[in-house]
Amino acid sequence: MLNQHKILRVLQLISLLQKEPAKSIRFMSGFIESTERTVYRYLDLIKELGFELERDQNKRYHIKGGLHDEAESFTNEEVALLKELLLSSAKQSKLKDAVLKKIYFKSEIAVHGKHILNAHLGKIVQKLSLAIQQENKVILKSYHSANSQKIDDRLVEPIAFTDNYTSICAFEEATQKNKYFNVERITDVETLETKQEFKSLHKLDPIDVFGFSEWNGEKFDIQLRLSLRAYVILKEEYPLVIPFIKLEPNKGIYLLSCSINNPKPISRFILGLSNEVDILGSKEFLNYFSKTH
């Protein structure tokens, strides 16, 4: 879990350094709540990742070039093609890994993962990361549940984050279940001195693009046709769908094809944009949607 915490801090610094004005070492250490020595180590790592780091006459740092606009980022299809070419044609090249890292940081997935760098969400992630390291219980304060439509505190034992920090997997004492909690729906985190006592029951179940594991509902395969507007809204609200959406050439239509563990989130999305989304399949999901709506 220490590596996840380190990655978060490096991403926070990258985002900070891409914005004007240039930042001092002292400011950066306060921003990530760490030592100046640690900041210097992270700056070396940022250089290794391929970012052009510059220092001005006042010994303040910034990343040359600033933020990349979303329009300049690689699309999901472009990333897939570039990775395929690199892994096939440049498999033995020492530059391969460095190029792959740069592709990721300029891809749609990276652009839409910026929410983890938000100051408030960053604090929540840091508190949870520390609780995981120290194996403490926490209370997720005023958690907004999209499933139950309730806002309440949750006593949990945090286990691990999803890869892009959108959710935290935690064991909930009240239900005695491992659940995924959306980080954006957590108002605050209260770390308790009590140590975790249900570690033998901790389990990381695979989740779908909407953050639900297999026990969360009913499993379906879905195929949807999306307008440009629906595509933009869906990928902003649920960034994990991005790898499963493809552009239909010359038609400006986007196709989503994936498996889901709970039909409620996508059903609500379809109802809210009924003129922008067409259900192509599966038959099972079509039957479910027609019966429930």
Side-chain angles (χ1 to χ4, degrees):
M1 296 310 125
L2 185 60
N3 285 336
Q4 283 194 341
H5 193 52
K6 181 178 178 180
I7 291 168
L8 172 69
R9 284 178 166 179
V10 171
L11 288 173
Q12 286 179 314
L13 283 180
I14 290 172
S15 179
L16 185 69
L17 291 167
Q18 286 178 321
K19 299 172 184 176
E20 295 182 350
K23 310 297 187 300
S24 68
I25 295 296
R26 178 178 295 181
F27 178 86
M28 287 186 279
S29 66
F31 181 80
I32 64 171
E33 296 183 344
S34 190
T35 64
E36 294 186 7
R37 185 177 178 181
T38 298
V39 170
Y40 279 114
R41 289 204 306 268
Y42 288 166
L43 292 181
D44 288 339
L45 181 56
I46 289 171
K47 289 178 185 177
E48 290 179 20
L49 287 171
F51 289 93
E52 208 169 331
L53 199 61
E54 292 189 343
R55 188 177 72 169
D56 63 19
Q57 65 274 18
N58 297 315
K59 297 182 179 180
R60 297 175 185 270
Y61 292 82
H62 71 280
I63 289 176
K64 186 177 179 180
L67 283 172
H68 294 282
D69 186 81
E70 184 172 351
E72 297 176 331
S73 64
F74 293 120
T75 65
N76 204 45
E77 291 79 9
E78 289 169 339
V79 170
L81 176 60
L82 287 169
K83 282 185 178 180
E84 183 179 338
L85 290 173
L86 279 169
L87 293 174
S88 59
S89 303
K91 196 171 184 178
Q92 304 302 321
S93 174
K94 294 180 180 179
L95 297 176
K96 171 177 63 68
D97 291 337
V99 175
L100 285 173
K101 289 173 185 174
K102 290 180 184 178
I103 290 173
Y104 169 76
F105 278 110
K106 293 187 68 176
S107 71
E108 282 187 341
I109 296 172
V111 168
H112 293 287
K114 286 179 184 175
H115 73 283
I116 68 168
L117 306 175
N118 173 283
H120 172 65
L121 295 182
K123 296 285 187 183
I124 288 175
V125 171
Q126 287 178 359
K127 287 182 180 179
L128 290 170
S129 295
L130 189 59
I132 292 171
Q133 292 172 37
Q134 298 179 346
E135 299 184 351
N136 288 344
K137 297 184 181 184
V138 303
I139 297 176
L140 306 181
K141 305 293 288 185
S142 300
Y143 181 74
H144 296 62
S145 173
N147 204 28
S148 65
Q149 299 296 310
K150 293 181 180 179
I151 301 176
D152 52 13
D153 294 348
R154 306 290 187 94
L155 175 61
V156 303
E157 296 181 356
I159 303 171
F161 290 97
T162 53
D163 289 341
N164 58 358
Y165 290 89
T166 55
S167 299
I168 176 76
C169 179
F171 180 82
E172 186 179 44
E173 288 197 20
T175 58
Q176 292 287 291
K177 290 181 178 179
N178 295 292
K179 294 184 177 181
Y180 284 87
F181 298 90
N182 189 309
V183 172
E184 288 188 329
R185 296 179 186 147
I186 302 171
T187 303
D188 198 3
V189 174
E190 179 184 345
T191 304
L192 305 178
E193 294 184 3
T194 313
K195 294 297 181 182
Q196 297 181 4
E197 57 181 313
F198 298 101
K199 291 194 68 175
S200 62
L201 300 178
H202 290 186
K203 184 181 178 183
L204 285 170
D205 295 315
I207 60 171
D208 66 14
V209 294
F210 300 105
F212 289 91
S213 59
E214 290 186 358
W215 59 264
N216 276 131
E218 190 175 354
K219 194 175 182 70
F220 289 99
D221 291 324
I222 61 169
Q223 294 89 38
L224 305 179
R225 182 186 289 120
L226 311 169
S227 68
L228 174 59
R229 179 168 176 264
Y231 161 67
V232 171
I233 294 173
L234 184 63
K235 72 174 183 175
E236 286 182 351
E237 188 171 352
Y238 300 105
L240 293 180
V241 303
I242 293 174
F244 301 94
I245 298 178
K246 292 185 178 180
L247 175 64
E248 198 169 272
N250 305 320
K251 294 184 180 180
I253 298 296
Y254 295 83
L255 300 176
L256 169 65
S257 180
C258 64
S259 296
I260 58 173
N261 295 322
N262 189 318
K264 291 182 179 180
I266 193 60
S267 296
R268 286 194 294 265
F269 179 81
I270 294 170
L271 289 172
L273 292 166
S274 57
N275 295 326
E276 311 270 356
V277 181
D278 293 320
I279 304 174
L280 305 180
S282 62
K283 290 183 179 179
E284 291 78 11
F285 180 68
L286 279 165
N287 291 335
Y288 164 84
F289 190 82
S290 62
K291 289 178 181 178
T292 55
H293 304 92

